[in-house]
Structures are given as structure tokens and as C-alpha cells.
Amino acid sequence: PCHAAFCLAPSFPGAALRHYAFMLEGLGQTARELNDLGIPFHLLEGEPGIQIARLSRDLNAGGVVTDFDPLRVKRAWQAQAAAALEVEFLEVDSHNIVPCRFISNKQEWSAFTLRKKFTRLLEHFLHEPEPLPEQTARAEIPQIDWDGALRRLDPDRAVPLVANPRPGPDAARKQLAEFIRERLPRYHLERNDPIADVQSGLSPYLHFGQLAPLRAALEVSRSGAPAAAREAFLEELIVRSELADNYCHFNPDYDRWEGLPAWARRTLDAHRSDMREYVYTVREFEDGLTHDSLWNAAQAQMKKTGKMHGFLRMYWAKKILEWSETPEQAQQTAIFLNDRYSLDGRDPNGYVGVAWSMGGLHDRPWAERPVFGTIRYMSRAGCARRFDLARFVDNHIKY
Ligand code: FAD
């Protein structure tokens, strides 16, 4: 029979109670769905490469299949498993629609260069997967102590649980259906308005594998929403997200200064000693103690709800660059806060979002100005022209 397994590593960099609780509750549902299909689900604890090899030996497995992930920590687990396994070890890529290793063999320069490749390839990949063959051989279903697993992980409880979104594949399917019905028709018009808030809210489900991007893309493609809305959403879900995987896969410094494009490092270097009007410590950023109520409100939204609106994420990161002593510190502060508080953090989209906002990644030079050099700038006044800024601040900060 086919078995499924997930291994809980002793500590995942940046993950806290909010993340582990969402992941484990979702995994519990996945386990029940798999068990109902006759596929026993195993929850392992310890070093993933070693534990997977041990389970493979215990089950006398004929082969092991893993999913693609471009991040350093998971690649190390896979390398460890590859070294320890005595049977064939295969990788599929359900993290993407067109597999990352297939669409390109190099770091792409921009969304434009990757988009051109999708035009040719998407029709071969955007289709319903084959139904699962019936499982004829039956195996014993392991009993899992989910609460004990969470207790043993002992995650950072300073980042509390969030009430919404509810975890799990069932909640993910409901969220997708509700998005298609209620918000997708306006997505192309209002996705950058944090008050209208028409984004899908799917990123935590996509991040934890509780929803496949293929499922979301198929349902959106078949929906009756205006073509412009469907296209705008699929551009984010497919092109932007696969561009992030491409960067992290081909650039080992995806979360470091060295990974940024050479032109961006040059311009930031040239403006290194520019006078900063404000400089904040990581703690001041974390506690939302800047002079800018919009920035503080965005930070409060992320801390409290586990999600900052996508448009404000750009503003938020750019201001960290403007108010930090060095661009290197700014990048690390943004990654630390995003990974710690966002439910969808510790994700290729996050490392790329930060590198795009403050390091010119997948972007081009703009007009030169202090601190930023030629990195694209965003201002509070520009935000006020786009949405009801006072209302956003009022919604998230009570003075
Ligand atoms: P929707 O607008 O409904 O988009 C649907 C899906 O498309 C998203 O779930 C995501 O998979 C993909 N997507 C949307 N925008 C982008 C983008 N700009 N780049 C890549 N993929 C995209 N995304 C994360 O998933 N995790 C993060 O930690 C994260 N951190 C970010 C940090 C910064 C500084 C910035 C500028 C962006 C970050 N993003 C991150 C990208 C983007 O903001 C989020 O994916 C999006 O806001 C998630 O909400 P949603 O699912 O409702 O988005």
C-alpha cells in the first residue's frame, strides 16, 4: 500500500505557536482524509532525512516520493534523506503548476522573461490531475498524539494563535469558493486597496500545502468572473509565485544582501552614508513604535491577524529600508518580522517580496533619491491617494 508521512523537525527557523497550530490542525484533517482513502498517515518527529529513511526501512518501501521546495532548510532534509535511503527517491513539484526545474534552468531576470515561457507551457500543465487509483492493499492506520506533538515542539508562545483563517484543506476549499463568488469579480480593480480587501486570503493554505495552486488555478479559470479578473489573479498565483520559487531555487543567497541584483547593491552602497531622518531598532519596529501611523497600523494588522494586506507589505518593507542604519539590517529586520508574525511567512514569496521592495529584485532602476538610490520608492501620500488611509489606521490602531 501507499503510505504518507510528514516529519516534524525539532525547530523550524522563525516558526512560532501560530504557525505550528495551523499546520498541525491542517495535517490532522489531511491525515483523516488520507486514512479514509486507505492511505495510512504517519507523523514522524526528529531529523526528517533520518526519520524518513527509518520509516522507509520499517515499511520495506519500494520507493519514496517528496515534493519540491526551493528553501535551504528543506533542501538539506532532502539531501539527508537521499543519502540515507536505500530505495529510489523521487521528487514531484506540486508547489508549482509548471515545475520549477522544468520551466527554466537559470535565475530569471523578471516576470516578463518567465511569463513568456508560461504562454507556451501552461496548456500542458493546467489540467485536472488523474484520479487516485483505489488502494486495494490495506495497512494498519497509526494512532497519532497531535497534542503531544505540539507540546514536545514547545513553540514560541509570544506569537499567539489567530482565530482566522481556520486551518485545513476543508477550510481552504471553502475559502477558495467564497473568494471566487464574492471577491474575484473585483480583484483586478481593487486588489491594491487594503480597505476593499478583495485578496483571496489563500496564502496560508498554499504555504502549508493545504491547497494546491493547481486546484486554485483550475477553479478560477473555470469561474464566470470577468476575464481581466481571472488574468490578474492567475498572474499572481502562477507567474509571481513561480518567479519566487525560481529565484530561491537558483540563488543560494535568496534571503541575503549578496543575492540582490548587482545594480541594486551598487545604488544602495552609493547611498549608504545618506542621512536617515528616522532610525529604529528591531524592537521599535516590532512594537509598531515608528512616527508613521500607517506603518504602525500595518505592523499591528500583521501581529494581530497573521496577515498584512499585500499592497501594504511593499510600503512596510520599503519604509524599513528608509529607517534602518544599513540595507543589510533592513533586509534582516523585514524577514525576521514577516517570518515571525505572518501565517504565510518563511516562504519563497516572502524572501522575494522583501528583496523586490528594498533590493530591486525583478524590478528596474527608478528616479534617484536619498537612501533608496534608484530603488523604487513609495510614500505615505501616495498611499493616501489610493485608499482611505485614516480608516485603515483607525481599523488597526486604537489610540
Ligand atoms: P492574493 O492576492 O489573493 O494572491 C493569490 C496568491 O498569489 C497568493 O497566495 C500567492 O501565492 C500569490 N501571490 C500574490 N502576490 C504575490 C507576489 N507579490 N509574489 C509572489 N506571489 C504572489 N507571500 C507569501 O505567500 N508569503 C510571504 O511571507 C510573503 N511576504 C511578503 C513580503 C513582502 C514585503 C511583500 C512585498 C510581499 C510578500 N508576499 C508574501 C507576497 C504577497 O503579498 C502575498 O502572497 C499576498 O499578499 C498573500 O495574500 P493572498 O493569498 O490573499 O493574495
Side-chain angles (χ1 to χ4, degrees), residues 60-79:
N60 196 19
V64 176
V65 182
T66 184
D67 202 359
F68 172 82
D69 195 300
L71 298 187
R72 205 174 289 123
V73 58
K74 299 187 203 160
R75 284 163 81 159
W77 294 341
Q78 287 171 335

Side-chain angles (χ1 to χ4, degrees), residues 192-379:
N192 285 334
D193 182 342
I195 299 289
D197 199 14
V198 300
Q199 287 191 285
S200 67
L202 292 174
S203 55
Y205 301 113
L206 293 164
H207 172 78
F208 286 106
Q210 297 173 5
L211 177 73
L214 177 62
R215 175 58 44 214
L218 285 170
E219 301 297 328
V220 164
S221 305
R222 289 174 188 146
S223 75
R230 282 183 276 132
E231 271 164 35
F233 181 76
L234 294 176
E235 164 73 15
E236 304 297 336
L237 179 77
I238 304 179
V239 179
R240 290 283 161 186
S241 179
E242 298 215 7
L243 185 63
D245 269 24
N246 168 275
Y247 176 67
C248 294
H249 181 62
F250 288 104
N251 192 324
D253 292 317
Y254 57 78
D255 53 354
R256 303 183 186 121
W257 164 257
E258 293 75 16
L260 302 179
W263 71 265
R265 276 180 284 139
R266 264 197 310 277
T267 192
L268 289 168
D269 263 337
H271 288 269
R272 216 167 251 287
S273 43
D274 288 359
M275 172 74 185
R276 271 94 172 134
E277 208 178 339
Y278 302 93
V279 172
Y280 297 108
T281 61
V282 179
R283 194 56 199 263
E284 286 166 331
F285 280 124
E286 186 165 15
D287 291 343
L289 297 177
T290 78
H291 64 284
D292 176 2
S293 59
L294 175 59
W295 195 96
N296 299 343
Q299 171 70 13
Q301 182 185 37
M302 176 172 72
K303 272 180 96 165
K304 186 148 186 256
T305 69
K307 181 174 189 221
M308 187 188 303
H309 187 275
F311 179 77
L312 283 173
R313 282 178 135 166
M314 300 187 270
Y315 176 80
W316 172 88
K318 283 176 184 292
K319 293 296 155 188
I320 297 180
L321 172 66
E322 193 171 340
W323 306 326
S324 293
E325 268 172 27
T326 68
E328 289 89 339
Q329 275 178 23
Q331 186 182 20
Q332 292 317 310
T333 301
I335 289 175
F336 166 70
L337 295 176
N338 189 51
D339 282 359
R340 183 167 162 83
Y341 291 105
S342 293
L343 211 45
D344 63 11
R346 305 152 324 284
D347 191 280
N349 293 346
Y351 302 123
V352 167
V354 169
W356 180 89
S357 305
M358 53 175 71
L361 179 69
H362 303 144
D363 204 2
R364 62 172 174 84
W366 293 72
E368 187 143 13
R369 53 179 301 131
V371 183
F372 282 74
T374 54
I375 303 292
R376 188 197 297 238
Y377 183 72
M378 277 173 82
S379 71

